[in-house]
Amino acid sequence: MVKGPQEFCPMVEMEIVSRRKAIPLDDNEGVYVRNVKTGKVRAVIGQTYIYNQDEEPYSKELPEAIEKLIADAQNPLVGREKLRDNRETKEVTRKPRDKRRVIYYQVPHNSAVQVFDYKSKVSRVIFGPDLVMLGPDEHFTQLSLSGGQPKRPNVVRTLDLSLGPDFMTDVFTVETSDHARLSLQLCYNWHFDRPEKDSPTYKRDSEALFSVPDFVGDVCKSIASRIRGAVASVPFDDFHKYSARIINEAILGKNDSIYFPANRLRITNIDIQTVEPVDQRTRDSLMKSVQLAIEITTNSQEATARHEAERLDQEARGKLERQKISDEAEAERARKELLELQAISAAVESTGQSKAEAQSRAESMRIEGVAAVDQAKLAAEAENINARAD
């Protein structure tokens, strides 16, 4: 192998087998290289590389399902609303993968991906957000989860495991002690307990997340089994009245959540969305009883409202009568006070007039008395003067 840059003139006995160029690789890019002598395959990542005379590109094959999942994860149009032109859905075309390039997968936030090395028999778990690059002997662990309502296996296929919190909905049938069949639709809130990095059991706890291939189906089956056992021991009337309490006690008991240690899954809440009888006759009877109960409740509320209105009307009338009596009493008191004041005024008026007349007569008599005295004095002086004159 002759490496450039240089000039090379091959001799007649030589044959140029191939010409190779350097492959520039970014930090997140790589190629698979196989040694043709030893057969070993390795991955070259993050450097400019050129194959030597004993190496050749290696094409890494993946199962078709995993190829589709990787292509969907790398295509920004998949998982979103597809483009529409004149109300016709366009098919999203996938670019074929270069099998000589190192396979990478972007782990979403709050998710985990498991990679298994078939050569060393060792697995590793990567928590997002992160970028996973597969070695030549590594493969992704594909998850086949149950989906739909009711749950059906192998509906959802994915490479990354969401750690939650999230919810799942299931529909199943139960039977009461008096053989009434009911269809329940429940919604479960769940999340995985994420392992602590500083814990000595971090690797084991991380691998436990993928220990149950279909955690959705297993959880729904387990919870449905508990509810069926609890409902089978109560009659229809009791379950119809106390369905929420019976279901919560069957699943959670006295705890705030239910924990599955096998894969560190925790159910935190149960939402009872619908409870419907399966049999049409039972459904019609229940509808009639519900309508009758609603009618009785409505009539009771109307009677209560009518009695309350009558009571308020009687209270208002009583208050009005009391107010009228109080106003009349107040008017009588005011009239009495007016008459008393008028009597006092008349008495004062008559007393004042008599007093004024008496005072005037006394003054007149006093003036007359004073005038008589003065007259007598003047007469006496006149007599004295006459007597002296004589």
Side-chain angles (χ1 to χ4, degrees), residues 213-320:
D214 184 8
F215 75 93
V216 175
D218 290 351
V219 167
C220 290
K221 289 178 182 178
S222 176
I223 294 178
S225 176
R226 295 187 184 189
I227 296 176
R228 288 192 185 99
V231 175
S233 61
V234 296
F236 172 74
D237 291 338
D238 292 345
F239 180 74
H240 181 64
K241 294 178 182 177
Y242 312 109
S243 58
R245 187 184 67 186
I246 293 173
I247 292 175
N248 280 280
E249 289 180 354
I251 300 176
L252 301 178
K254 297 182 179 179
N255 302 320
D256 296 334
S257 62
I258 177 174
Y259 180 66
F260 295 89
N263 60 343
R264 303 177 63 84
L265 179 66
R266 189 179 297 276
I267 305 296
T268 57
N269 186 37
I270 297 95
D271 180 21
I272 305 171
Q273 295 182 341
T274 58
V275 178
E276 295 181 352
V278 177
D279 186 22
Q280 185 64 34
R281 291 179 299 177
T282 306
R283 188 180 303 175
D284 295 340
S285 301
L286 180 61
M287 184 63 65
K288 290 180 180 178
S289 63
V290 170
Q291 291 178 353
L292 182 60
I294 293 174
E295 185 178 355
I296 293 173
T297 304
T298 303
N299 294 334
S300 175
Q301 292 178 351
E302 289 179 354
T304 303
R306 186 169 55 254
H307 294 163
E308 183 68 16
E310 292 177 357
R311 184 183 65 82
L312 294 176
D313 185 60
Q314 292 292 336
E315 289 182 357
R317 290 182 181 180
K319 289 182 180 179
L320 181 60

Side-chain angles (χ1 to χ4, degrees), residues 86-218:
N86 297 328
R87 297 187 179 181
E88 294 182 359
T89 303
K90 294 183 178 180
E91 293 294 332
V92 179
T93 58
R94 298 183 178 88
K95 183 179 180 180
R97 178 179 66 88
D98 187 357
K99 297 182 180 181
R100 298 172 296 178
R101 292 277 181 166
V102 171
I103 300 171
Y104 68 91
Y105 184 80
Q106 296 178 354
V107 185
H109 174 69
N110 200 29
S111 300
V113 170
Q114 187 182 44
V115 176
F116 184 77
D117 192 331
Y118 285 90
K119 185 176 182 180
S120 60
K121 305 297 181 183
V122 176
S123 63
R124 58 190 177 103
V125 178
I126 301 94
F127 293 94
D130 202 350
L131 183 69
V132 183
M133 305 189 73
L134 287 187
D137 299 314
E138 290 182 333
H139 285 274
F140 290 109
T141 299
Q142 180 184 353
L143 298 175
S144 297
L145 305 178
S146 297
Q149 298 177 15
K151 287 291 180 283
R152 304 186 307 275
N154 302 324
V155 174
V156 179
R157 299 180 184 273
T158 180
L159 297 180
D160 54 87
L161 175 66
S162 176
L163 301 180
D166 205 340
F167 67 92
M168 63 181 78
T169 305
D170 190 20
V171 177
F172 55 93
T173 303
V174 297
E175 186 173 351
T176 60
S177 61
D178 49 1
H179 306 291
R181 294 171 57 84
L182 303 172
S183 175
L184 303 183
Q185 180 173 341
L186 305 182
C187 181
Y188 316 120
N189 294 89
W190 59 269
H191 70 271
F192 286 97
D193 288 349
R194 188 164 181 167
E196 297 291 338
K197 290 187 177 181
D198 300 334
S199 174
T201 60
Y202 175 74
K203 187 175 184 302
R204 184 181 63 190
D205 295 340
S206 300
E207 294 176 353
L209 298 175
F210 294 85
S211 61
V212 180
D214 184 8
F215 75 93
V216 175
D218 290 351

